[in-house]
């Protein structure tokens, strides 16, 4: 069973899954979700935008796994800055163990050269919340199969402050103006970026995305937020220091994203998050 899944929710197609990106997708090819849409049909993901050609919808990407780039683009090297390196890895789809209209379970290998560094178990599910919102529930489990210790890094751990991206990442569409950013208690990109909060929201022209860490371990990861430069939100597996995974060890994260029509306020966003995480 290897046909790319199409997710349906409340009788509507809300997301498509791309298994094998075209070669033009560039570096670090990986499966991703795009387009992801609101129940009203508004597309809230972007693929290969001009500002970052390696941004691919919604999925999982890490810029540094034992020195290999599973994010795409240039690699940040301490003392040199962003550098073109021949170090890109591939997330290889190995098969589905379940595919249904509202979700799927996938097995992947993270391969650098001919070496499998990680085996991933990925679960994706779509859940209706009300007439204008639904939730995308994504869990990824990364098991170290390299035979020795592996460490995860980011540009931040490699010397670039404020760039601790790596893990779950959602690239939203670019509009004429930057989206509004807010969390449970903070407002603005500067206040929310790098914070450890239960959730963070991006509100665009006629859509709102609310990202929630759905496990205690996920909530310990700071949020990576961009709005002024480009619209995107992700988690930070390696922020202040590298994340070390012992041989045979596993790192698990779960992010639930509310996909809503319209521009929501803080109270409405909080209510939908509570419903999504407990659904």
């Amino acid at each position: 069973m290897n046909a790319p899944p199409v997710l349906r929710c409340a009788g509507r197609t809300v997301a498509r899954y791309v298994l094998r990106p075209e070669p033009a997708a560039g570096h670090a090819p990986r499966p991703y979700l795009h387009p992801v849409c609101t129940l009203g049909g508004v597309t809230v993901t972007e693929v290969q935008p001009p500002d970052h050609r390696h941004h691919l919808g919604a999925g999982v990407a890490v810029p540094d796994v034992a020195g290999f780039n599973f994010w795409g683009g240039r690699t940040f090297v301490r003392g040199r800055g962003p550098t073109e390196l021949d170090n890109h890895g591939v997330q290889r789809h190995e098969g589905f163990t379940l595919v249904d209209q509202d979700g799927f379970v996938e097995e992947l290998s993270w391969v650098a050269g001919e070496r499998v560094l990680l085996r991933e178990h990925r679960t994706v599910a779509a859940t209706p919340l009300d007439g204008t919102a639904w939730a995308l529930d994504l869990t990824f489990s990364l098991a170290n199969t390299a035979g020795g210790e592996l460490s995860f890094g980011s540009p931040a751990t490699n010397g670039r402050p404020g760039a601790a991206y790596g893990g779950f990442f959602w690239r939203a569409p670019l509009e004429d103006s930057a989206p509004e950013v807010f969390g449970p208690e903070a407002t603005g990109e500067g206040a929310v970026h790098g914070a450890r909060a239960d959730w963070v929201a991006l509100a665009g022209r006629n859509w709102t995305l609310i990202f929630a860490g759905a496990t205690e371990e996920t909530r310990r990861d700071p949020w990576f937020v961009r709005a002024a430069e480009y619209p995107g939100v992700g988690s930070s597996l390696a922020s202040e220091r590298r994340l070390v995974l012992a041989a045979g060890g596993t790192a698990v994260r779960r992010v639930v994203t509310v996909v809503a029509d319209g521009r929501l306020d803080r109270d409405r966003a909080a209510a939908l998050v509570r419903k999504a995480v407990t659904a």
Side-chain angles (χ1 to χ4, degrees):
M1 187 185 299
N2 284 293
V6 175
L7 299 186
R8 293 182 60 79
C9 189
R12 306 176 191 183
T13 296
V14 292
R16 296 180 183 274
Y17 196 56
V18 179
L19 291 180
R20 297 177 178 87
E22 296 296 325
H27 310 295
R30 57 191 179 272
Y32 60 89
L33 290 150
H34 177 78
V36 179
C37 302
T38 68
L39 291 177
V42 178
T43 298
V44 289
T45 50
E46 183 65 272
V47 165
Q48 291 186 263
D51 52 80
H52 290 80
R53 300 292 293 174
H54 50 280
H55 285 181
L56 301 175
V60 182
V62 179
D64 180 352
V65 180
F68 294 99
N69 184 337
F70 288 89
W71 176 273
R74 296 177 293 176
T75 297
F76 191 90
V77 179
R78 188 179 297 274
R80 295 172 60 186
T83 305
E84 292 283 356
L85 297 176
D86 184 18
N87 68 336
H88 293 98
V90 176
Q91 290 180 23
R92 183 178 296 162
H93 167 76
E94 300 292 355
F96 294 110
T97 56
L98 173 70
V99 174
D100 207 341
Q101 67 172 3
D102 60 354
F104 59 88
V105 179
E106 181 186 20
E107 306 298 331
L108 306 97
S109 296
W110 290 43
V111 182
E114 296 302 317
R115 184 183 178 201
V116 178
L117 301 182
L118 298 160
R119 299 283 187 187
E120 181 189 349
H121 181 79
R122 184 178 300 184
T123 302
V124 176
T127 304
L129 299 176
D130 60 22
T132 61
W134 65 281
L136 181 76
D137 191 334
L138 190 154
T139 299
F140 62 96
S141 175
L142 299 173
N144 178 1
T145 57
E149 185 177 272
L150 283 178
S151 70
F152 297 73
S154 67
T157 64
N158 296 339
R160 182 185 174 193
Y165 52 82
F168 170 86
F169 182 70
W170 187 302
R171 173 59 199 251
L174 189 67
E175 297 181 331
D176 293 339
S177 58
E180 180 186 1
V181 180
F182 59 93
E185 299 177 350
T187 300
E189 179 180 353
V192 175
H193 172 71
R196 290 175 171 85
D198 288 350
W199 56 267
V200 59
L202 286 185
R205 183 171 57 244
N206 55 359
W207 52 266
T208 302
L209 298 170
I210 313 152
F211 307 89
T215 66
E216 183 177 348
E217 192 167 35
T218 308
R219 287 190 290 271
R220 287 200 294 266
D221 295 335
W223 291 106
F224 173 82
V225 181
R226 289 288 185 264
E229 181 184 356
Y230 64 83
V233 170
S235 57
S236 300
L237 289 176
S239 52
E240 293 88 1
R241 60 186 64 85
R242 298 181 72 88
L243 171 66
V244 178
L245 196 59
T250 303
V252 182
R253 299 293 189 272
R254 179 185 172 210
V255 177
V256 177
T257 306
V258 174
V259 182
D261 284 294
R263 291 176 66 96
L264 307 186
D265 60 21
R266 181 176 281 112
D267 289 344
R268 175 69 172 144
L272 284 172
V273 165
R274 287 193 296 271
K275 186 174 183 179
V277 172
T278 58

